[in-house]
Amino acid sequence: MMNKRINKVAVLGSGIMGSRIACHFANIGVEVLLLDIAAKEADKNGIVNKALETALKTNPSPVYTKSVVNKITTGNFEDDMKKISTYDWVIEVVVENLEIKKKVFEQVEQHRRPGSIISSNTSGIPIHMMAEGRSDDFKANFCGTHFFNPPRYLRLLEIIPTAYTQPALVDFLMHYGDKFLGKTTVLCKDTPAFIANRVGVYSIMALLHLVEKMDLSVEEVDKYTGPALGRPKSATFRTTDVVGLDTMIKVSKGLYDNCPEDKAHELFKLPEYVSKMESNNWLGDKTSQGFYKKTKTPEGKTEILALDLKTLEYKPQVKVKSATLDMTKSIDNVRERMKVFAAGRDKAAELFRASFFGLFEYVSDRIPEISNELYRIDDAMRAGFGWELGPFEVWDAVGITEAVEGMRKY
């Protein structure tokens, strides 16, 4: 393995991801240089300073302690890019636009020290396209390092090499992410949306289409796809509100455009109700309404309304009952619960079968396209989406033969 030490990291771009990645490196004692475009007003560091300030106010906090911030120095691309010559690792986190990223890398090439690591946090742009036109040393030391938001809390770090990336660098980053950043590092191929978002967005999009087909409400879906399934409490629609509907739309549109051969290609098209939400700017928490909306009752109490997906009106939430869910309550082992879902007779069980049998087929089709190993897909989904069991683990729990029969049926 490479004998490298990471003492100083430069983060280029101070948006939601950049500022929080900077905070997480500071958390582990690394010296960080956080840069962004120069502001046109008097203080050229106005943009980067405001972004860092905003990050530090977020809850849950991106830093372990307040003093960690002393490790971060801010600056701008115009005046401070030359400083990266003394840095061990340069991470690009600017907007998702290939031309802009290439311009940034052109600047990086002028100032970086040969042998220093360069990586991109892109979630959708092919890594090899960003390396085009760069020097051999740049290409050998360049790869994708895709953090998940929020970087301090979500365990997944996807490592995406290109054909030029030296294997020793890949080994180093897999080890460093695990040992120092506290991540589940997953080796990915340079395919659209890599592993977690490819499978995760397929899973959400398939569900969004099933909701219409099966006439399910927002409350029902979130009740059926939450902790009982070994998923986060925010389940499906609440998670989408937190992450931002626009983020999911962007990834699904990217997959629709870039994966024409994907058998599930049509599922990446937005259902009509999602398109309407997009045009209404109902994108979730960032626009104060999405699948849910927080309001005040006449008595001044806070009430969270749910969106009626047929009428697109907000209404008080309805309590959801399910015999299958009731049967899982006494079962602590999440694997055992999967058998109950697979055999149940109500809407919750029907949704489980329709979505999971589709997912099993989907992940099978992705080997060896996105990964040569099954376990990497399970690792990515557990660490990136907070699933207790990855798709292949759920398949094992349901039973190989039973699931194959189900996949044929559905």
Side-chain angles (χ1 to χ4, degrees):
M1 194 191 288
M2 257 178 184
N3 191 14
K4 271 188 187 293
R5 280 189 74 82
I6 304 294
N7 297 315
K8 294 166 80 175
V9 169
V11 178
L12 312 181
S14 66
I16 286 179
M17 285 305 285
S19 54
R20 287 153 182 79
I21 289 170
C23 286
H24 194 53
F25 273 96
N27 279 336
I28 64 163
V30 172
E31 206 177 298
V32 182
L33 176 66
L34 179 62
L35 304 182
D36 211 317
I37 54 173
K40 291 186 168 61
E41 293 80 51
D43 180 9
K44 285 169 100 173
N45 291 346
I47 292 168
V48 67
N49 289 340
K50 192 170 190 315
L52 183 58
E53 207 177 294
T54 304
L56 294 169
K57 283 181 189 155
T58 52
N59 187 19
S61 174
V63 290
Y64 295 164
T65 59
K66 282 186 179 149
S67 63
V68 157
V69 188
N70 302 334
K71 291 266 173 205
I72 304 173
T73 306
T74 55
N76 65 79
F77 293 160
E78 268 177 39
D79 302 330
D80 304 300
M81 191 63 98
K82 55 183 177 294
K83 291 180 183 168
I84 68 169
S85 63
T86 63
Y87 281 71
D88 307 308
W89 183 354
V90 178
I91 305 176
E92 169 277 310
V93 203
V94 302
V95 293
E96 288 285 85
N97 175 312
L98 180 60
E99 291 317 305
I100 292 173
K101 286 182 187 291
K102 282 186 142 179
K103 277 182 188 148
V104 169
F105 286 132
E106 216 167 283
Q107 274 189 283
V108 169
E109 180 101 82
Q110 288 166 31
H111 299 291
R112 68 174 279 265
R113 188 181 70 238
S116 59
I117 302 168
I118 320 107
S119 69
S120 171
N121 182 64
T122 182
S123 57
I125 296 172
I127 306 299
H128 67 272
M129 288 170 86
M130 291 185 265
E132 279 166 15
R134 302 270 61 90
S135 67
D136 289 349
D137 185 80
F138 186 106
K139 287 176 176 175
N141 289 287
F142 177 68
C143 74
T145 49
H146 182 214
F147 289 82
F148 276 61
N149 189 27
R152 176 183 165 188
Y153 299 93
L154 271 187
R155 294 200 335 270
L156 182 59
L157 172 60
E158 293 182 317
I159 307 290
I160 314 103
T162 72
Y164 309 107
T165 313
Q166 51 181 323
L169 174 65
V170 179
D171 293 343
F172 171 78
L173 289 172
M174 292 288 289
H175 172 74
Y176 184 90
D178 173 50
K179 179 123 180 168
F180 293 93
L181 291 167
K183 299 295 173 197
T184 297
T185 46
V186 173
L187 183 63
C188 301
K189 295 187 179 186
D190 195 4
T191 51
F194 316 127
I195 293 179
N197 279 338
R198 178 75 175 270
V199 176
V201 171
Y202 158 80
S203 184
I204 292 171
M205 291 304 291
L207 199 57
L208 294 182
H209 288 284
L210 276 173
V211 166
E212 280 189 307
K213 222 163 143 187
M214 293 175 63
D215 192 21
L216 292 162
S217 69
V218 164
E219 302 97 305
E220 283 175 321
V221 171
D222 275 358
K223 187 78 175 164
Y224 302 155
T225 60
L229 268 189
R231 299 283 173 85
K233 206 161 67 185
S234 52
T236 301
F237 289 122
R238 181 72 195 106
T239 299
T240 307
D241 274 357
V242 171
V243 172
L245 186 64
D246 52 337
T247 305
M248 196 207 65
I249 289 170
K250 205 173 179 181
V251 181
S252 57
K253 280 181 175 167
L255 288 171
Y256 185 80
D257 294 342
N258 298 316
C259 302
E261 303 301 312
D262 194 318
K263 209 157 76 178
H265 186 242
E266 288 308 298
L267 282 181
F268 293 117
K269 258 189 190 160
L270 300 181
E272 200 183 330
Y273 68 92
V274 177
S275 295
K276 282 182 182 160
M277 288 174 72
E278 184 185 23
S279 55
N280 288 349
N281 204 35
W282 296 352
L283 306 176
D285 290 5
K286 62 178 77 168
T287 58
S288 302
Q289 64 191 101
F291 291 105
Y292 294 97
K293 180 183 183 179
K294 202 185 268 189
T295 56
K296 288 257 190 259
T297 63
E299 299 77 44
K301 278 187 180 167
T302 299
E303 187 182 14
I304 295 171
L305 305 176
L307 186 66
D308 182 320
L309 300 175
K310 286 203 208 91
T311 63
L312 287 191
E313 287 167 357
Y314 289 94
K315 56 181 186 33
Q317 290 185 53
V318 177
K319 210 162 173 45
V320 177
K321 287 188 168 65
S322 159
T324 301
L325 282 179
D326 288 344
M327 284 167 72
T328 64
K329 278 179 184 165
S330 59
I331 303 169
D332 286 339
N333 185 322
V334 70
R335 281 179 170 77
E336 295 301 317
R337 276 184 242 144
M338 298 301 157
K339 293 190 179 105
V340 177
F341 271 104
R345 301 245 169 218
D346 61 1
K347 268 182 167 184
E350 187 54 32
L351 178 65
F352 175 88
R353 289 188 289 270
S355 54
F356 272 93
F357 293 148
L359 178 63
F360 299 155
E361 182 184 39
Y362 191 74
V363 290
S364 309
D365 287 346
R366 303 281 73 75
I367 303 283
E369 182 201 347
I370 65 173
S371 173
N372 294 337
E373 298 87 8
L374 310 183
Y375 78 87
R376 294 196 199 278
I377 291 181
D378 281 353
D379 281 356
M381 298 320 295
R382 284 198 312 268
F385 279 77
W387 296 5
E388 261 183 72
L389 300 176
F392 291 105
E393 291 171 308
V394 178
W395 187 345
D396 266 351
V398 169
I400 299 293
T401 314
E402 293 83 346
V404 171
E405 278 168 23
M407 284 152 74
R408 288 201 184 104
K409 184 182 166 190
Y410 282 84

